[in-house]
Structures are given as structure tokens and as C-alpha cells.
Amino acid sequence: MPTLSPVNTKQIISGNDIGHLMGLPILTLISWLLPVQMAPWFCRTMAFMNAATLTSGKVALTRRIYQHVGDFDISLNPSEIPDAVAGEDLLALVSLLKTHLTRSWKGTTEIHGREFLDAALRKGNGAILWRAHFVHYGIPYYKALVDAGFHFTHISHVRHGFSESRFGIKYLNPIRLHAENRFVPERLQLTGGAPTIVLRNAHRRLAENGIVSITTRGDADNYISAPFLNGTHNVAPGAPRLAYAQGADLLPVFPIRNPNGSHSIIIEPPITIDRSQESRVVAENAANEFVNRLQSRVLQYPSQWLGWMHL
């Protein structure tokens, strides 16, 4: 899988890395021994421990969540959101670690809105799946696409996994990547360098009427800040810029775990890309439109949106 220049980070190893070194082997063993039907209960029970790895200050985070939610009608009390998200995140991790033993994933997934992806491909300019940062963004999402017969290219950063340190990127993050990549036809990895190689390959895939998957997570250097609830949400601009350059459809995607344990991959109608406008304006408009759609999903599924942890 293509990468670029060495990772631009000064941190060699972090405290979280030490915690993961101690916790991941234990959690892996638990995931192998734990019956599938008991996993949700276990993860809810141990959520408080995972919350400590997702946020350094739960009290301050809860305060920020309250400020963002305000008078909006949300399906979960804001005070419960940090542990609820941590529990869902742990459940996703347990499921992922289990695949190292089984080399398969037995969950049930269903794609909603496939007609929008099919319509995009009929146009001949490719399709971009702009995936929201929900907890179950990984294997259920990838496997649903593969099982439906789609070949796609997913773009991620070398920070994807457990750590942003040099040690974590080299030794910890591959634990997640090796599990996910069983279900990913092709992955392009960004590093801290100029993304020339990755972008060139992404443009080529779209020019061949392919599918490119990319996250909206706003940890890019030049993210777009869009109105969200009573605050803002940062969105990476890479996807709308790709859509603008190639004329590809930009399709928001929301991966959701349903109450019965099945998974829904919700593909929404394309976001308008007006190529008569400047690229910067188009990217800003696309980010605002995406966040507007995201808001209703977050209010409906607050326990599954990882973005709370980055407020």
C-alpha cells in the first residue's frame, strides 16, 4: 500500500502506548474467549476504563457536551455520553481483535442507499464515500461493501489505530490495520509528508470509475470548521476537493450499529459539487452540508459518534 515520507511526529512513545502494550494482549485474549452474546454487556461494564484512554478529562468533556447539546432533543443524557461512546468503542475493538483468531467476521450488515452509489458509478466519474467518524466505522463498513460486490480504495492516515507516536505507529497501529485489511481491497496511507502519491492514486481510481472511501475526521492541517449543534465541528476537506477535481459524486456515509446488534451502512444522496465555483468555496459548502446531515444522525445515535471525544 502506498505511503509517503517519514511520519512527522517528534513523540517517540506515549503514556497511552504503555497502557495499550499492557491492555491489548489481555483484551485480545478476552475477545477470543468471550461469547459473542456477552460482548455488549462486558463492554458496557468496562466502558469507564476505555473512557480514560479516549479522553484525558471526562468531567471537562461532559461539560463541553452539555454546551454543544443545549436545548437540542437528543436520545441520551449528555452526562452518559462519554461512557456510552467508550462502551461502543470497546465493543468495536473486541469484535476487531476477535478476527485475529477467526480470520472472519460474522456480523450482519445491510447497505441502505445503495442506489445512490450505483447511480454515481453509472455516470462514469467514480464515487467518493465520505464516511462519518462513528464507532463502528471499520470492519462492518468494509465487509458490507465487499459482500455487495464493490471494489474500493480506502484512504487513511498512518495515525489510524491506537497511537500517533513513532512507536505506536510502527508497532501498535498495525494490530488494527491487519484486522481491517482482511476486508479492505486497497488502502492508501497518508503520512506527515506532502500527500502527492496518495492523491495521485486516488485521482487515478476515480478516473477509472472506481470508489474511494475517506473519513471526514477533521485532523487535517487545513480543516474546515462548520456549525454543529451549539458549536462547531472540524471536517477534513480532502473528499470534496477530490470530487471537485474529478467530477465524482460525494456520498455521505453513516455506519450504525442497530439495537438488535446488526449493522446498517447508510449511504445518503450526493452532496452538490458546483464546479463553476472556486474549489475553496465548494469545499466549505460541502463541509457545511455534511455537518448539517451529521447533526441529525448524532442526535439519534449519540453513543456511536466518536466526535464527542474531540470537542
Side-chain angles (χ1 to χ4, degrees), residues 96-176:
L96 177 140
L97 292 173
K98 195 176 187 69
T99 67
H100 285 295
L101 174 67
T102 63
R103 299 185 180 276
S104 63
W105 187 82
K106 300 299 184 182
T108 301
T109 62
E110 184 177 0
I111 296 178
H112 301 270
R114 172 178 174 161
E115 64 270 20
F116 302 119
L117 179 53
D118 289 335
L121 295 178
R122 283 196 298 270
K123 295 178 183 177
N125 295 321
I128 300 172
L129 298 176
W130 206 13
R131 190 191 66 192
H133 197 44
F134 278 67
V135 170
H136 301 281
Y137 62 80
I139 291 175
Y141 165 69
Y142 303 133
K143 192 171 188 299
L145 292 172
V146 170
D147 287 351
F150 293 111
H151 186 284
F152 63 93
T153 299
H154 183 67
I155 298 176
S156 65
H157 199 283
V158 291
R159 292 191 298 263
H160 172 63
F162 302 100
S163 176
E164 298 185 2
S165 73
R166 294 181 181 179
F167 174 87
I169 288 170
K170 185 173 183 179
Y171 296 106
L172 295 176
N173 292 353
I175 296 172
R176 183 181 293 275

Side-chain angles (χ1 to χ4, degrees), residues 224 271-272 274 277 280-290:
I224 297 170
I271 290 175
T272 299
D274 184 355
Q277 296 182 315
R280 175 188 56 81
V281 174
V282 169
E284 291 175 354
N285 290 341
N288 285 324
E289 175 61 24
F290 178 87

Side-chain angles (χ1 to χ4, degrees), residues 41 59 99 104 142 221 301:
W41 168 83
V59 173
T99 67
S104 63
Y142 303 133
D221 293 335
Y301 303 101

